Amino acid sequence: MGEKGKKSKTMSKSPSAAKEHKEQLERLQKKDPEFYQYLQQYGKDLLTFDDEDEDFDDDAEVDMEDAENQLDDETYQHDIPEEEEKPSKNVLTTEMVNSWCKSIREDEKLSAVHSIMKAFRTACHYGDDTGTDSSAKFAVMSSSVFNKIMLFTLSEMDRILRKLLKLPASGGKKETIIELMNTKQWKNYNHLVKSYLGNALHVLNQMTDTKMISFTLRRLQYSSVFLAAFPSLLRKYIKVALHFWGTGGDALPVVSFLFLRDLCVRLGSDCLDECFRGIYKAYVLNCHFVNASKIQHIQFLANCVIELIRVDLPTAYQHAFVFIRQLAMLLRDALNMKTKEAFRKVYEWKFINCLELWTGAICTYSSEADFRPLAYPLTQIISGVARLVPTARYFPLRLRCVKMLNRISAATGTFIPVSMLLLDMLEMKELNRPPTGGVGKAVDLRTTLKASKLILKTRAFQEACVISVVEELAEHLAQWSYSVAFFELSFIPAVRLRSFCKCTKVERFRKEMRHLIRKIEANDDFTNERRASVTFLPNDNAATSFLEDEKKMGTSPLSQYVTTLRQRAQQRNDSMMESSVLVGEKSAVFGKKLDQIPDSDEEDDIKNDDGATVFSSSWLPGGDSRANLPKEEEKKKKKKKKKKKGMEQDEGVGDDEDVVEDLVLSSDEDEDEEDTAEEDGNEEQLGGSRQQNKKQKPKNLSNKNVRSHHHAKNNKSKKRKRAKLN
């Protein structure tokens, strides 16, 4: 009723305004008849005035439109019958969108660009609470119209904006946008750029389908250079892209990463610092726990961080130095305070995965002068972590640290003494005595930081540790198997391995060690034979070229032995992965995802087909997305939720295992049995809580469900009685 009253008031005002205008024209005719005759000849449109024209554009909006847009709306309204004139002001139809798209492609009308941008804003904000906003020109649309608007705008708007602003068809850097901001074209059309980027950001936060988000980000990547003019939008885009990178599925993490990388390349210092800090924090948030299904995903995230570092190594060095220093401070607190909380901060997956990340970064950029200095502090931190709590329960963590040290040594070409870390493990009684806990399940050391007391005494744990010691020690010695000082370097490890063969009571371990000893002795003969004929001193530069040709060919006995060990380890890891459930295996591999993303030239050819398949659902922003999704997608979501619940339960168990409970630096059998009592008590509490939950479940049933349940029971009993009587 209120709206009708307002309309009647505006209609009542229009006749009075028309009468006043006619009176003014009559006065003009009397005062200046010559000028009035001139208007009759050359400006008849100014003299012809009707009451209908006054209220023609009452509901038209002039928010971001010019005179051409108003004329376009008027011509469109004249083409529609009088009965459909009222709803056309609020309803977006396919014919309207098609006419705008056609006029943009064929005639390049600016009015059509304004109209499609108005429709794009409505589509992105569809379902939002606009209240009594009179600027909302279009209020109703169908899913097909929404898909058409989104597809056309995302596919064509970058080309349109570049043509209006007189920019190259693709590319561009921050400097070009800064120069453009002082031109007349930018003052005329910057509102279109801001509207396009702002509304696209809004709908990105509303979307739920990963394919829609991927397509939208992929198209926005072409216009990312315009974000240099809008710092607030730039920060929001970085946050959204980082969120999708860490939590997205399918190809969305790769698309998000490529968007971030493109921002860093094009905008430089404006977003480098924020991207480096943000991507590192996102990595830390996603690596709190490791299991068989998350190994590949965490490796993918680490590869992305390392790839982003390549954009600007000097700037990345400053951030890497700060982050590595934070790890060093945590280790220092653990060494000084020696409390459970301080040890827990070091012996957790988050800390170890950060060490893995920076190990990979230093190995990748070891030849760069900007990144090489970080190798020494990182090596010191890893060595300190390996020696922090030297008990048998932390053998998996120590082996992981040794593997990182071997990688740094091979990449930088520097000697790192890791043999003592491995040989000390063999002297502990947990590895040189027969197991007392039975065979046990296979132990995956890649997903374990701390072994429980029951697993510690099993045969499977002993075999996994001894085989890993042999593999890492062989890797370490093979790196220096072409050194002129190999005989001196391998003397002490060979002596300690022989003593282990004498002390151990496990025959299969003795055979493994003897095989390694024979390879070390064969390599001694290999280097000593060539060393006998050299004339240079150990401190001469010529010592670096010793056995250089043989090193390129990999002909030393230890190098050949290491290749067989790597193949055996790969087969073992593959069997572990096959036996475990892989959630999202396809979405975790970095290389596979990059292969799925087409090149820019190929994408221009298939973008319409790809977008048509993506934007073909009945989804609309602002509504209940679950109701609009197909039943199959709902089932998939339910399955994912169940898997997530299981993962959360596993994470809880993992966190309990990562807590450092025993701080006595001795064998675990000499420790008190408080841990076992605590574990038993926790199990009893868990069992009691589960029983209580089972008992409480019937209370949650409604009275109707209970009655229907009893009614069904009574019907079944009656049927049984009738069957017996018959």
Side-chain angles (χ1 to χ4, degrees):
M1 293 296 291
E3 292 180 358
K4 291 181 180 178
K6 288 179 182 178
K7 288 183 180 179
S8 62
K9 286 180 182 179
T10 55
M11 293 292 288
S12 63
K13 286 181 181 179
S14 59
S16 61
K19 289 178 181 178
E20 290 179 3
H21 188 62
K22 287 180 179 179
E23 291 175 359
Q24 290 175 359
L25 292 176
E26 290 175 358
R27 292 172 191 168
L28 178 65
Q29 186 178 6
K30 293 178 181 178
K31 289 182 180 180
D32 197 348
E34 294 180 359
F35 181 67
Y36 189 78
Q37 289 178 0
Y38 175 81
L39 289 177
Q40 284 181 337
Q41 293 178 3
Y42 300 101
K44 290 183 179 180
D45 295 338
L46 297 174
L47 298 177
T48 57
F49 184 83
D50 296 328
D51 295 344
E52 295 177 358
D53 293 335
E54 185 69 26
D55 60 293
F56 182 78
D57 283 326
D58 280 345
D59 294 334
E61 188 179 60
V62 201
D63 188 9
M64 290 163 53
E65 302 176 357
D66 55 2
E68 291 182 10
N69 190 19
Q70 294 180 7
L71 290 172
D72 186 66
D73 289 342
E74 290 173 6
T75 54
Y76 175 74
Q77 288 179 359
H78 282 300
D79 294 338
I80 298 175
E82 294 180 358
E83 295 179 357
E84 298 179 357
E85 185 173 355
K86 290 183 180 179
S88 66
K89 295 178 183 178
N90 293 325
V91 178
L92 268 171
T93 61
T94 307
E95 290 77 12
M96 295 169 66
V97 179
N98 288 335
S99 65
W100 295 333
C101 297
K102 185 178 179 181
S103 59
I104 290 173
R105 284 172 178 160
E106 296 178 359
D107 305 329
E108 297 182 355
K109 283 188 177 180
L110 185 61
S111 59
V113 175
H114 285 293
S115 299
I116 201 71
M117 285 304 299
K118 183 70 67 176
F120 180 66
R121 184 192 181 283
T122 305
C124 294
H125 291 266
Y126 189 79
D128 293 355
D129 295 331
T130 56
T132 58
D133 188 6
S134 61
S135 65
K137 184 175 180 180
F138 305 112
V140 180
M141 71 171 68
S142 63
S143 58
S144 60
V145 174
F146 169 80
N147 295 333
K148 196 169 192 63
I149 293 170
M150 295 298 295
L151 180 59
F152 178 82
T153 308
L154 293 173
S155 301
E156 300 292 336
M157 191 49 62
D158 179 71
R159 179 185 62 81
I160 295 167
L161 292 175
R162 287 178 181 273
K163 196 166 185 179
L164 290 173
L165 297 170
K166 296 180 181 180
L167 289 175
S170 62
K173 295 237 174 169
K174 178 180 67 173
E175 292 75 16
T176 59
I177 301 299
I178 292 174
E179 293 176 1
L180 180 68
M181 291 172 68
N182 298 322
T183 61
K184 185 178 180 181
Q185 288 87 359
W186 180 259
K187 293 178 181 178
N188 292 335
Y189 305 118
N190 67 341
H191 61 277
L192 292 176
V193 181
K194 189 173 183 180
S195 175
Y196 172 57
L197 296 175
N199 293 324
L201 176 65
H202 181 80
V203 80
L204 272 177
N205 290 319
Q206 304 295 322
M207 287 180 178
T208 55
D209 184 55
T210 55
K211 291 182 180 179
M212 280 188 182
I213 300 170
S214 299
F215 180 80
T216 305
L217 270 180
R218 205 177 301 167
R219 298 309 307 170
L220 287 169
Q221 184 178 341
Y222 294 97
S223 306
S224 60
V225 68
F226 292 118
L227 290 170
F230 310 106
S232 60
L233 280 178
L234 174 62
R235 289 191 294 270
K236 292 177 182 178
Y237 265 102
I238 291 173
K239 289 181 181 179
V240 169
L242 286 171
H243 172 72
F244 290 142
W245 173 74
T247 61
D250 296 331
L252 181 56
V254 172
V255 175
S256 305
F257 170 72
L258 293 177
F259 181 83
L260 287 169
R261 187 180 181 278
D262 195 68
L263 281 178
C264 293
V265 171
R266 297 189 186 282
L267 305 187
S269 58
D270 285 356
C271 65
L272 271 174
D273 293 333
E274 191 164 355
C275 283
F276 282 145
R277 286 194 296 267
I279 201 168
Y280 182 69
K281 289 179 181 177
Y283 172 80
V284 173
L285 288 174
N286 285 277
C287 66
H288 279 275
F289 178 70
V290 174
N291 56 18
S293 63
K294 292 190 70 175
I295 290 176
Q296 291 181 343
H297 181 64
I298 292 173
Q299 185 60 45
F300 160 73
L301 297 178
N303 290 341
C304 288
V305 178
I306 294 169
E307 182 64 26
L308 192 65
I309 288 171
R310 192 190 299 272
V311 176
D312 191 346
L313 286 174
T315 305
Y317 170 82
Q318 298 175 0
H319 290 279
F321 180 84
V322 172
F323 296 139
I324 292 174
R325 184 174 176 273
Q326 291 175 356
L327 300 177
M329 292 173 66
L330 290 174
L331 178 62
R332 183 191 63 185
D333 293 340
L335 291 170
N336 293 337
M337 300 171 64
K338 294 183 179 180
T339 60
K340 289 184 179 181
E341 188 63 30
F343 278 99
R344 187 185 293 111
K345 289 180 181 179
V346 175
Y347 278 4
E348 63 179 354
W349 279 115
K350 183 169 62 175
F351 189 95
I352 301 302
N353 283 324
C354 290
L355 292 179
E356 293 271 6
L357 169 65
W358 296 120
T359 299
I362 288 170
C363 292
T364 305
Y365 307 113
S366 59
S367 60
E368 302 290 340
D370 293 321
F371 238 75
R372 192 181 177 88
L374 293 174
Y376 178 74
L378 184 65
T379 301
Q380 295 296 317
I381 295 170
I382 296 172
S383 300
V385 171
R387 293 185 174 91
L388 187 60
V389 182
T391 60
R393 296 183 70 177
Y394 291 100
F395 279 173
L397 186 142
R398 176 176 286 207
L399 289 168
R400 184 179 284 267
C401 291
V402 170
K403 192 182 289 290
M404 287 187 274
L405 293 174
N406 276 337
R407 289 175 61 193
I408 295 173
S409 177
T412 58
T414 55
F415 176 76
I416 300 175
V418 301
S419 58
M420 295 300 108
L421 291 172
L422 297 169
L423 295 171
D424 290 344
M425 293 171 60
L426 297 177
E427 292 182 355
M428 290 190 181
K429 55 188 176 183
E430 285 82 5
L431 294 186
N432 55 25
R433 287 183 181 179
T436 59
V439 177
K441 294 182 180 180
V443 179
D444 190 359
L445 297 178
R446 300 171 303 166
T447 61
T448 309
L449 287 182
K450 177 184 177 182
S452 63
K453 290 186 176 181
L454 296 176
I455 295 175
L456 189 67
K457 299 175 183 179
T458 59
R459 173 182 170 180
F461 180 78
Q462 279 190 350
E463 287 183 353
C465 289
V466 172
I467 291 171
S468 297
V469 168
V470 171
E471 291 172 353
E472 296 305 323
L473 187 58
E475 284 277 357
H476 169 66
L477 295 174
Q479 292 174 9
W480 306 101
S481 60
Y482 303 95
S483 173
V484 70
F486 179 78
F487 177 77
E488 290 79 9
L489 186 146
S490 61
F491 178 76
I492 293 177
V495 170
R496 295 185 67 175
L497 288 175
R498 291 189 187 97
S499 64
F500 175 78
C501 290
K502 292 178 182 178
C503 296
T504 186
K505 298 178 182 179
V506 184
E507 184 61 27
R508 59 185 178 281
F509 296 163
R510 192 179 291 113
K511 288 181 180 180
E512 198 75 31
M513 293 302 169
R514 284 174 179 172
H515 194 191
L516 177 58
I517 291 168
R518 283 195 294 269
K519 294 297 179 182
I520 294 173
E521 292 173 350
N523 210 96
D524 286 338
D525 298 337
F526 173 74
T527 54
N528 290 338
E529 183 180 353
R530 293 291 305 273
R531 195 168 75 165
S533 59
V534 296
T535 56
F536 54 80
L537 297 175
N539 59 352
D540 289 346
N541 293 329
T544 57
S545 61
F546 180 73
L547 295 176
E548 188 173 1
D549 296 333
E550 289 81 356
K551 185 176 183 179
K552 292 178 181 178
M553 298 172 63
T555 56
S556 70
L558 271 174
S559 296
Q560 296 174 358
Y561 177 58
V562 164
T563 55
T564 59
L565 290 178
R566 287 173 182 169
Q567 293 174 359
R568 187 177 70 177
Q570 186 63 39
Q571 292 175 359
R572 186 173 65 250
N573 293 334
D574 292 342
S575 63
M576 290 276 189
M577 295 296 287
E578 289 174 2
S579 62
S580 60
V581 179
L582 290 181
V583 181
E585 179 185 3
K586 295 179 182 178
S587 65
V589 183
F590 185 73
K592 287 182 182 178
K593 288 184 175 180
L594 287 177
D595 294 338
Q596 294 173 4
I597 305 301
D599 297 333
S600 58
D601 298 333
E602 296 177 359
E603 189 178 348
D604 291 335
D605 298 334
I606 65 171
K607 64 184 179 182
N608 291 331
D609 297 336
D610 187 17
T613 56
V614 169
F615 286 97
S616 60
S617 66
S618 59
W619 181 84
L620 283 173
D624 189 5
S625 58
R626 293 181 184 174
N628 295 328
L629 288 174
K631 292 182 179 180
E632 294 180 359
E633 294 185 5
E634 285 185 1
K635 290 179 181 177
K636 288 181 181 178
K637 282 197 168 187
K638 288 179 181 178
K639 288 181 180 178
K640 285 182 180 179
K641 285 182 180 179
K642 289 180 181 179
K643 288 177 181 177
K644 281 183 180 179
K645 287 181 181 179
M647 294 281 289
E648 289 173 359
Q649 291 176 358
D650 294 339
E651 287 179 7
V653 175
D655 293 339
D656 292 339
E657 288 184 356
D658 291 347
V659 176
V660 181
E661 297 171 352
D662 309 317
L663 306 180
V664 182
L665 306 184
S666 61
S667 178
D668 291 302
E669 288 188 358
D670 299 332
E671 298 171 356
D672 297 332
E673 296 184 356
E674 294 179 358
D675 291 345
T676 55
E678 289 178 0
E679 290 173 1
D680 295 336
N682 291 333
E683 289 177 0
E684 289 176 3
Q685 289 177 359
L686 288 171
S689 61
R690 287 171 185 166
Q691 290 177 359
Q692 287 178 0
N693 291 333
K694 288 179 181 178
K695 291 178 181 178
Q696 289 175 359
K697 279 181 181 178
K699 293 182 180 179
N700 296 328
L701 295 173
S702 62
N703 294 329
K704 293 182 180 179
N705 293 334
V706 174
R707 289 171 185 170
S708 61
H709 182 67
H710 287 300
H711 186 65
K713 279 188 174 181
N714 293 332
N715 289 337
K716 286 180 182 179
S717 61
K718 288 178 181 178
K719 288 180 181 178
R720 287 173 186 170
K721 289 179 181 179
R722 290 173 185 172
K724 287 179 180 179
L725 291 172
N726 293 331

